[in-house]
């Protein structure tokens, strides 16, 4: 039987190059593996813990869906849906919450770091904490367990959440017998952490991102903003210490990379290096950007694709939820 691989991205900001390299590109690769049934979804209810502006929420949700599709996710092969379109997940969320020790939630990192930072600045410990944030890992456990997921590809920060899902599944299984599969996380150890405009990790939180689908003029402007040192144009440069080269490598062909390396070693002006970077990046992104913009201007197409995906998802979640409810004692 095929293994189930499942992951979600929450729509809390514009997708940037770091998200693409670190999460989306590897996930798209896994969706091609014959032995896997991939399920990818827009974790919109998770984003509701943070985004409370309706129009922004809607646009960001469409944005995540359009990004996956523009980059080549095939909704015929992968099950691709919106979390909020699968109500069984939320019913399971409640069942699981009755098997989730509160202490486990107290230790979950998103909640804990908020409490810690409140306390460090002498504020009320729970300031700004809503119950959605507190219960976040239980909903994530429901996402994962509902589809009998074997493998969850995630970033390092999500390891704890997958471990919590295993814990909750074990509590339930211990009481009612084997029901849920214990999921494993999969980390892309070899994927580089992409640096942002200021050299730190590219992240929404640092406001140093290059949005994946920035218009080409804007893309050029952002690339020009990348920090470089003050070496003169003719001085040899170390490609391995240059953010420009790190980014170049992600988008250029092996031949182009080898040639560019030589140019760095023999001396290339930063202006020139930026121009070359823009060229390979723009070349790579042009087509998906166009597809993305097309999709964003006809959200009904995105809705139709996601609706079909939700039907496929519910063909799995609906009977499984019945089975779970049966075990719990809801039916005669
Ligand atoms: P952000 O740091 O911008 O808030 P998220 O935490 O939403 O990004 O990350 C979504 C996914 O993208 C995660 O799997 C994360 O590991 C990956 N990711 C985020 N930033 C980078 C980066 N700079 N380089 C590589 N992967 C990244
Ligand atoms: N919590 C994940 C993140 O912040 C998103 C997510 C929600 C998820 N449900 C999931 C990831 C289930 C993997 C599996 O990135």
């Amino acid at each position: 039987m095929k293994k189930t691989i499942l992951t979600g991205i929450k729509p809390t900001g514009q997708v940037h190059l770091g998200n693409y390299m670190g999460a989306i590109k590897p996930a798209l690769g896994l969706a091609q593996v014959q032995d896997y049934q991939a399920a990818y979804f827009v974790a919109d209810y998770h984003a509701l813990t943070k985004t409370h502006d309706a129009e922004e929420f809607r646009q960001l949700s469409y944005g995540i869906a359009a990004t996956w599709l523009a980059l080549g996710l095939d909704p015929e092969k992968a099950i691709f849906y919106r979390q909020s379109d699968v109500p069984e997940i939320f019913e399971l969320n409640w069942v699981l919450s009755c098997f989730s020790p509160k202490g486990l939630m107290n230790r979950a990192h998103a909640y804990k770091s908020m409490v810690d930072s409140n306390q460090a600045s002498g504020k009320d410990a729970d300031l700004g904490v809503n119950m959605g944030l507190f219960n976040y890992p239980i909903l994530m456990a429901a996402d994962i367990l509902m589809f009998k997921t074997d493998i969850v590809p995630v970033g390092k920060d999500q390891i704890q959440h997958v471990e919590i899902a295993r814990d909750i599944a074990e509590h339930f299984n211990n009481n009612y017998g084997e029901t849920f599969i214990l999921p494993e996380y999969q980390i892309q150890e070899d994927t580089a952490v992409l640096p942002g405009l200021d050299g730190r990790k590219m992240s929404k939180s640092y406001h140093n991102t290059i949005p994946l689908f920035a218009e080409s003029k804007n893309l050029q402007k952002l690339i020009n903003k990348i920090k470089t040192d003050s070496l003169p144009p003719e001085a040899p440069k170390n490609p391995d210490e240059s953010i420009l080269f790190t980014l170049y490598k992600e988008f250029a062909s092996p031949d182009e990379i080898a040639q560019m390396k030589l140019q760095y070693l023999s001396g290339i002006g930063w202006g020139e290096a930026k121009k070359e970077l823009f060229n390979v990046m723009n070349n790579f992104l042009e087509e998906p950007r166009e597809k993305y913009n097309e999709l964003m201007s006809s959200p009904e197409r995105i809705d139709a694709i996601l609706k079909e995906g939700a039907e496929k998802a519910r063909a799995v979640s609906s009977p499984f939820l019945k089975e779970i409810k049966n075990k719990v004692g809801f039916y005669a």
Side-chain angles (χ1 to χ4, degrees):
M1 212 171 87
K2 283 190 175 189
K3 287 199 167 198
T4 299
I5 163 165
L6 171 143
T7 199
I9 295 196
K10 60 175 194 286
T12 47
Q14 269 199 327
V15 177
H16 56 74
L17 288 176
N19 300 144
Y20 171 64
M21 301 309 315
I24 300 175
K25 190 179 168 191
L28 286 172
L30 290 170
Q32 303 293 337
V33 178
Q34 288 294 330
D35 304 341
Y36 292 155
Q37 169 61 59
Y40 294 151
F41 66 98
V42 181
D44 50 356
Y45 263 115
H46 273 114
L48 190 59
T49 62
K50 239 187 188 168
T51 308
H52 290 173
D53 176 294
E55 197 41 40
E56 187 189 1
F57 184 79
R58 203 180 338 266
Q59 287 308 318
L60 289 175
S61 297
Y62 279 128
I64 292 288
T67 300
W68 281 107
L69 294 168
L71 291 167
L73 180 81
D74 180 354
E76 296 296 320
K77 283 199 190 130
I79 303 181
F80 181 53
Y81 57 98
R82 216 176 345 225
Q83 182 188 36
S84 59
D85 286 339
V86 184
E88 289 80 13
I89 295 171
F90 302 92
E91 237 181 296
L92 179 60
N93 175 63
W94 178 261
V95 175
L96 295 180
S97 69
C98 299
F99 292 84
S100 305
K102 175 172 176 286
L104 193 62
M105 296 307 116
N106 290 340
R107 292 192 293 278
H109 71 87
Y111 164 72
K112 191 168 173 292
S113 73
M114 197 127 163
V115 168
D116 289 349
S117 102
N118 278 338
Q119 282 171 335
S121 50
K123 294 177 190 147
D124 181 80
D126 284 330
L127 185 74
V129 176
N130 60 54
M131 286 304 290
L133 177 69
F134 188 69
N135 291 326
Y136 187 109
I138 307 177
L139 181 56
M140 184 156 159
D143 289 330
I144 296 170
L145 301 177
M146 185 86 258
F147 294 96
K148 303 184 180 169
T149 306
D150 299 289
I151 302 164
V152 189
V154 278
K156 282 207 177 86
D157 60 318
Q158 296 298 315
I159 292 178
Q160 187 195 30
H161 288 153
V162 180
E163 284 172 339
I164 290 176
R166 287 176 67 95
D167 261 27
I168 297 175
E170 278 184 315
H171 279 283
F172 188 98
N173 288 354
N174 285 340
N175 198 70
Y176 297 107
E178 288 309 305
T179 306
F180 295 117
I181 301 235
L182 303 187
E184 311 267 355
Y185 58 80
Q186 181 172 313
I187 303 296
Q188 250 72 45
E189 285 293 357
D190 51 341
T191 321
V193 170
L194 210 66
L197 297 177
D198 56 0
R200 291 189 290 174
K201 170 188 180 265
M202 186 176 288
S203 168
K204 299 190 274 289
S205 329
Y206 297 148
H207 304 288
N208 64 353
T209 68
I210 300 182
L212 184 59
F213 296 126
E215 289 307 323
S216 69
K217 263 205 186 123
N218 194 22
L219 179 62
Q220 191 150 30
K221 260 196 216 154
L222 289 167
I223 290 175
N224 285 337
K225 274 195 195 162
I226 296 175
K227 276 208 180 121
T228 49
D229 60 29
S230 53
L231 285 175
E234 64 283 2
K237 317 270 187 315
N238 182 351
D240 299 327
E241 284 175 5
S242 163
I243 304 174
L244 294 176
F245 192 71
T246 305
L247 285 165
Y248 189 87
K249 278 195 297 194
E250 298 290 351
F251 296 96
S253 68
D255 269 4
E256 287 170 323
I257 297 170
Q259 279 196 9
M260 185 53 62
K261 195 166 186 171
L262 291 177
Q263 274 188 268
Y264 270 70
L265 295 173
S266 63
I268 181 174
W270 290 129
E272 182 62 21
K274 286 179 175 177
K275 218 164 84 192
E276 294 292 340
L277 173 60
F278 169 75
N279 286 339
V280 289
M281 243 186 195
N282 198 47
N283 199 12
F284 178 88
L285 292 170
E286 219 162 13
E287 213 181 293
R289 184 198 295 138
E290 207 172 293
K291 212 163 159 204
Y292 173 86
N293 288 335
E294 255 173 54
L295 284 163
M296 288 302 279
S297 63
S298 46
E300 67 287 352
R301 268 178 62 205
I302 304 180
D303 283 332
I305 292 170
L306 291 172
K307 192 168 159 255
E308 227 172 272
E311 275 164 23
K312 282 197 240 168
R314 295 191 71 188
V316 178
S317 61
S318 177
F320 190 36
L321 181 67
K322 277 215 181 88
E323 189 186 324
I324 294 162
K325 286 174 76 173
N326 208 354
K327 290 198 179 184
V328 172
F330 280 101
Y331 309 112

